[in-house]
Amino acid sequence: MRLYLLALNPTDSVTQGFLPAAARLGLAVTVLTDHAEAHRLVYAEHVDLPEDLVVLPCEVADFREVVGLISRQPQQPAAVFSNSDHLQTSAALAAAYFGLPAKDWQATLRAKNKAELRRHLATSGLDTVHSAELTPGQHLDELALPPFPCVVKPREGVASEDVVLVADRAELASRCAEIQHRRPAATLVIEEFLAGELYTLETLGDGQRREVLGGFHTRLSPPPTFIEEVLTFVPAHPREVLDQVLAQLDALGVGLGACHTEFVVQADGRARIIEVNYRAIGDQCDLMLAQLLQIPYFEHVLRAHLGRPLPAELGARADLRARNEVVCADRAGVLTAAPKAYDGEVDGVRLSYRPLRELGERHEHYRTNRDYLGVVWAIGPDQQAVDHAVARFIAENHWEISS
């Protein structure tokens, strides 16, 4: 059986998660991507990938190109899958074309398009967030703006890029102009600021049944940006909070495969969705989650896309705790010193570090997730011990950026 996997740039989720899982399931894999050479270079460094792994160039954002290329291949697909935010609708339409298990393309579009997500939840009567869309060439005077402070972000953006809190109309105009200069074709969403503690919900579904895997409590950078700095595992959210989030996911049509939902809990206990990422959580958290729960997480996701039901009992552990913390660049420059990848265990706490930027690379200061230099994560039976292990690793190591 052959899995057709749609991807943009190489990611750890695919290289270290889904491709090794496909190999363990005995699947042949064809990767369709618009970054073919980058994928080939990365895969050459790994030995646990499927033996029959093919990388083909493709305009993967266009489902018509995906369908056409797959149709020309000697092996028809057993599944069409993607873990990219940008490619969920393309993968869903291609899978449906071949009569394979597929996410509802309307649900993938609602999740990706932040303005459509707001409209759909409001129409469903579950949550109304005051928001407006600023299209290229449109003026702010034409919009009914939310109250200040408010948040401006690209409608189809990812990784906190160009997401910023603004205090007044003058700052809003300035920020919109900055973003549109960098993204002249982008439509922006301007929406009310949803205050509250930020959490995630991680779910896994086979199209008939959905399992809740827990979630994370997220610490963000100081405003006006929204960089995710620390995530600590939450085995179970309060029932009243969980029910609110699941009802909104039901209204959006989320069901098949992995989903990573970000939401805030306000002082009155109201849960309000920030965004829905209809794929596995990233930045090494999915790899950590598989070890934390001690389940074949990536295999379960792929089996769901092959049309196989989830097992009656996942057997996920709920007694372990975890922390995922990133080291961020605080300025532009060349990374001249940083620790190498590390795996170790001390006093029952397993700790891993993965560099996310190569030594010698020069980068601007993005004030987004692209400032990540590396990620440290630890798993153990006690939250305090896990937190201490991560803090100790960061304190004992050194990252240096030179101008």
Side-chain angles (χ1 to χ4, degrees):
M1 292 193 297
R2 183 165 290 275
L3 166 71
Y4 285 82
L5 190 152
L6 279 55
L8 297 176
N9 55 296
T11 64
D12 291 341
S13 295
V14 169
T15 305
Q16 300 176 33
F18 288 109
L19 288 180
R24 291 190 291 269
L25 291 173
L27 296 172
V29 177
T30 297
V31 175
L32 305 184
T33 177
D34 56 1
H35 291 68
E37 190 55 34
H39 281 264
R40 293 187 184 112
L41 288 172
V42 169
Y43 299 160
E45 300 174 359
H46 292 264
V47 298
D48 56 350
L49 306 184
E51 291 185 8
D52 191 358
L53 175 61
V54 178
V55 178
L56 296 178
C58 180
E59 292 298 323
V60 282
D62 187 338
F63 75 94
R64 296 164 298 187
E65 294 297 321
V66 172
V67 167
L69 182 54
I70 293 176
S71 296
R72 295 193 297 271
Q73 301 311 303
Q75 283 184 280
Q76 289 301 291
V80 178
F81 168 78
S82 180
N83 195 54
S84 167
D85 276 312
H86 299 283
L87 302 179
Q88 292 303 318
T89 300
S90 184
L93 288 168
Y97 177 86
F98 291 106
L100 301 169
K103 294 175 180 176
D104 178 353
W105 71 266
Q106 293 172 311
T108 62
L109 189 149
R110 292 177 194 129
K112 181 59 182 168
N113 184 314
K114 295 174 176 62
E116 195 60 32
L117 180 144
R118 295 299 182 209
R119 280 191 289 269
H120 191 80
L121 289 178
T123 301
S124 301
L126 293 172
D127 192 22
T128 299
V129 175
H130 190 162
S131 63
E133 286 178 273
L134 182 67
T135 60
Q138 194 174 20
H139 197 275
L140 285 174
D141 290 340
E142 302 174 49
L143 305 181
L145 296 175
F148 293 97
C150 62
V151 177
V152 58
K153 54 189 174 184
R155 188 179 62 190
E156 283 92 7
V158 295
S160 301
E161 291 190 13
D162 288 324
V163 182
V164 63
L165 183 69
V166 295
D168 52 38
R169 188 182 180 87
E171 187 179 5
L172 174 62
S174 175
R175 292 294 192 177
C176 287
E178 290 174 11
I179 298 170
Q180 289 174 325
H181 178 74
R182 290 189 292 270
R183 303 169 179 247
T187 293
L188 306 183
V189 171
I190 304 163
E191 64 182 31
E192 67 175 283
F193 174 58
L194 301 179
E197 290 294 305
L198 181 61
Y199 294 91
T200 84
L201 182 69
E202 311 308 321
T203 56
L204 174 61
D206 60 13
Q208 301 297 320
R209 189 174 111 247
R210 179 175 53 208
E211 291 284 342
V212 174
L213 305 178
F216 295 91
H217 186 193
T218 305
R219 189 190 79 192
L220 295 172
S221 61
T225 57
F226 296 86
I227 303 171
E228 297 173 355
E229 295 181 336
V230 178
L231 289 90
T232 53
F233 184 60
V234 179
H237 294 295
R239 187 75 238 181
E240 60 274 15
V241 168
L242 179 63
D243 288 345
Q244 292 178 68
V245 178
L246 292 178
Q248 292 176 73
L249 292 180
D250 286 340
L252 293 168
V254 169
L256 180 66
C259 188
H260 162 60
T261 304
E262 299 177 7
F263 65 97
V264 295
V265 178
Q266 299 186 317
D268 59 359
R270 186 179 178 189
R272 310 190 74 183
I273 284 180
I274 300 296
E275 65 179 33
V276 176
N277 302 283
Y278 203 172
R279 42 83 178 161
I281 187 173
D283 296 320
Q284 294 274 320
C285 270
D286 46 0
L287 300 166
M288 182 178 76
L289 192 66
Q291 292 191 28
L292 173 66
L293 301 178
Q294 296 189 7
I295 61 173
Y297 171 73
F298 297 99
E299 287 93 328
H300 283 327
V301 175
L302 293 181
R303 286 192 188 103
H305 285 267
L306 290 164
R308 301 174 187 173
L310 291 172
E313 296 290 338
L314 288 183
R317 291 186 64 168
D319 60 327
L320 296 175
R321 298 296 179 263
R323 181 184 183 93
N324 176 296
E325 184 167 350
V326 295
V327 179
C328 280
D330 59 0
R331 60 190 183 277
V334 177
L335 182 64
T336 53
K340 297 179 180 179
Y342 171 83
D343 292 285
E345 182 170 340
V346 178
D347 298 329
V349 175
R350 299 195 306 275
L351 184 139
S352 295
Y353 170 75
R354 295 293 181 268
L356 299 177
R357 188 179 292 185
E358 296 289 336
L359 287 174
E361 285 188 7
R362 178 177 179 81
H363 286 263
E364 299 303 316
H365 189 205
Y366 302 107
R367 295 177 176 83
T368 73
N369 292 12
R370 288 199 289 164
D371 289 327
Y372 291 172
L373 301 177
V375 57
V376 190
W377 50 271
I379 299 171
D382 176 75
Q383 189 66 55
Q384 186 175 1
V386 164
D387 293 345
H388 178 70
V390 171
R392 183 174 58 203
F393 181 88
I394 293 174
E396 291 176 351
N397 285 278
H398 177 63
W399 292 259
E400 182 177 325
I401 295 176
S402 302
S403 301

